[in-house]
Amino acid sequence: MKLTRLAGAAVVLALCAVGCGTSSDDSGGSAGDSDTPGGFTAPDVPMASELGDNEGALSILAWPGYAEDGSTDKTVDWVTPFEEKTGCQVDVKTFGTSDEAVSLMQSGQYDVVSASGDASLRLIAGGDVAPVNTDLVPNYADVWPFLKDRPWNSVDDQMYGIPHGYGANLLMWRTDKVDPAPTSWSAVFDDSSAYAGKVTAYDSPIYIADAALYLMNTQPDLGIEDPYALDADQLAAAVELLKAQKANVGEYWSDYLKEVQAFTTGDSIVGTTWQVIANLAEADKVPVKAILPEEGSTGWSDTWMVGSETEHPNCAYAWLDHIISPEANDAVAEWFGEAPASSKACEIATKGFCESYHAGDEAYAEKIHYWTTPIEECLDGRTDVTCTTYQEWTQAWTEIKG
């Protein structure tokens, strides 16, 4: 779903290794937390209870920029130190979309994956990833508390991964072309005709949640409580809103450097964005501003998950602990452009970086509705209706774009 500087510029846990035990006591239940009690019963996949000697190899499936070994930029390397410390030789395969990541993980060929919230529940429900024993990940203690035990990374209070980094989908506009300055997502929905042909939107079925969030705030009679828990009528309302928006959309984007270019040329003057895009545009002297609108926003919180068929569980857990260490987590966050999940990463980050990304700001983070896979069991706790699935959202997105 997300493309990094690199991509834009160029482009059932088998713990059978010696000394590695398992436990399946906490592997099933309902997804969600006190705020979203709905969910599903997870497959009975065993969880590591102890670790042994590292196996010497690790296969990583990652977003571009999440597992850098110095080949892109010799100064950007947190894989080599991991290999030297653990003896686990790393093989990295990158993916471009969450759908691709889910498909690849289903092959059982990868030990760990960096999953966004629109993939994580699919991986859990499919038995493709295992519950994670956070007691075996010492650096987990330093993860911001508001990223733990959330609907997109846990089931029945059991974590299925280690939080990695997070960010919000913001509203950005050209300050010299949009007046007055918007404060609401209405600028790209109900008021988008004022910027006909110059509106931009994120190109993914998960963008339906942005419309649902807006409707949740502007049409309370629809009864939307969670933008990722939509029954058929609520989905239809979101689709109708997005079809109306399409008439004013000049471009749907997924490559963030292309969005920087579109705002630079004026082909886009208002739309959804990420903080890194706003930072890059401002650095290029493009007159833009980005805000978290009054309704809040959608966003991502990525999670490192362990494959259920991994043959290298010890190396997998070593990677989980390494990637959330202050040094590695800061390096990834600054290279990729997102808030780090480790609180200690901000102690060593470049001055002003964590402030720019609102890292550790719980009040800010709680305004973000993080990407979560839509499933039949309503994540808002309703049991009298069936909610729409990600597959239905994908079909709806094709209909919206025509």
Side-chain angles (χ1 to χ4, degrees):
M1 243 338 116
K2 300 188 292 295
L3 298 178
T4 64
R5 296 179 179 85
L6 166 61
V11 181
V12 163
L13 182 57
L15 298 177
C16 56
V18 176
C20 188
T22 65
S23 167
S24 58
D25 294 341
D26 298 313
S27 60
S30 300
D33 57 14
S34 58
D35 296 324
T36 54
F40 64 96
T41 299
D44 187 13
V45 179
M47 180 179 72
S49 61
E50 61 182 354
L51 297 176
D53 295 335
N54 292 333
E55 300 86 0
L58 183 69
S59 179
I60 295 177
L61 186 61
W63 288 113
Y66 269 13
E68 290 292 310
D69 62 1
S71 58
T72 304
D73 182 327
K74 64 181 180 180
T75 67
V76 181
D77 184 357
W78 48 89
V79 169
T80 301
F82 169 77
E83 292 176 321
E84 294 173 344
K85 179 180 179 180
T86 65
C88 303
Q89 295 303 302
V90 172
D91 179 58
V92 179
K93 180 176 178 57
T94 60
F95 57 86
T97 69
S98 286
D99 289 348
E100 183 183 356
V102 171
S103 178
L104 288 169
M105 281 302 292
Q106 289 171 343
S107 72
Q109 298 178 12
Y110 302 94
D111 299 312
V112 294
V113 60
S114 62
S116 291
D118 56 336
S120 52
L121 289 189
R122 283 188 280 169
L123 292 171
I124 296 170
D128 302 309
V129 294
V132 167
N133 187 340
T134 57
D135 290 341
L136 302 180
V137 186
N139 285 315
Y140 180 74
D142 301 322
V143 172
W144 305 112
F146 55 81
L147 297 178
K148 299 178 178 181
D149 299 309
R150 303 307 299 266
W152 60 88
N153 60 26
S154 68
V155 174
D156 196 27
D157 298 321
Q158 169 60 57
M159 287 293 290
Y160 273 76
I162 301 298
H164 172 83
Y166 66 100
N169 295 313
L170 305 175
L171 174 64
M172 183 167 74
W173 68 94
R174 282 277 300 250
T175 57
D176 59 337
K177 298 181 181 296
V178 176
D179 186 41
T183 60
S184 165
W185 287 113
S186 63
V188 298
F189 289 121
D190 288 340
D191 302 330
S192 62
S193 60
Y195 317 108
K198 303 289 186 178
V199 175
T200 187
Y202 189 53
D203 190 3
S204 169
I206 207 68
Y207 183 66
I208 292 172
D210 291 58
L213 175 62
Y214 180 67
L215 293 173
M216 186 171 74
N217 285 271
T218 59
Q219 296 187 32
D221 289 348
L222 288 171
I224 299 174
E225 298 291 338
D226 183 326
Y228 305 100
L230 306 180
D231 60 37
D233 291 338
Q234 293 166 340
L235 176 62
V239 169
E240 182 181 1
L241 180 63
L242 289 166
K243 285 183 175 179
Q245 181 198 50
K246 182 181 183 298
N248 301 307
V249 171
E251 181 180 24
Y252 291 96
W253 67 273
S254 59
D255 182 331
Y256 79 82
L257 289 181
K258 288 184 178 179
E259 193 190 25
V260 173
Q261 180 64 21
F263 271 86
T264 301
T265 61
D267 290 338
S268 296
I269 62 173
V270 65
T272 185
T273 196
W274 301 329
Q275 186 64 57
V276 65
I277 296 173
N279 290 352
L280 289 171
E282 290 174 346
D284 289 342
K285 308 301 181 184
V286 182
V288 297
K289 185 173 182 179
I291 64 166
L292 187 75
E294 58 194 26
E295 299 93 351
S297 77
T298 60
W300 71 90
S301 175
D302 290 347
T303 304
W304 281 101
M305 311 181 85
V306 178
S308 59
E309 298 182 21
T310 178
E311 295 181 358
H312 310 107
N314 299 293
C315 281
Y317 269 79
W319 174 261
L320 297 186
D321 195 49
H322 170 72
I323 201 64
I324 202 60
S325 66
E327 296 79 12
N329 199 224
D330 171 55
V332 180
E334 296 206 37
W335 174 250
F336 187 83
E338 63 184 354
S342 171
S343 59
K344 289 189 176 180
C346 285
E347 297 176 6
I348 62 174
T350 301
K351 184 177 180 181
F353 174 79
C354 283
E355 290 76 11
S356 174
Y357 286 86
H358 302 274
D361 186 340
E362 184 171 1
Y364 184 91
E366 288 304 316
K367 296 177 182 178
I368 304 171
H369 298 260
Y370 299 97
W371 287 340
T372 306
T373 309
I375 57 177
E376 286 185 358
E377 292 80 7
C378 296
L379 295 171
D380 58 7
R382 287 180 294 168
T383 57
D384 58 336
V385 296
T386 297
C387 277
T388 53
T389 65
Y390 187 78
Q391 181 179 6
E392 291 172 281
W393 284 36
T394 300
Q395 294 169 344
W397 187 243
T398 301
E399 178 186 339
I400 289 162
K401 293 185 65 181

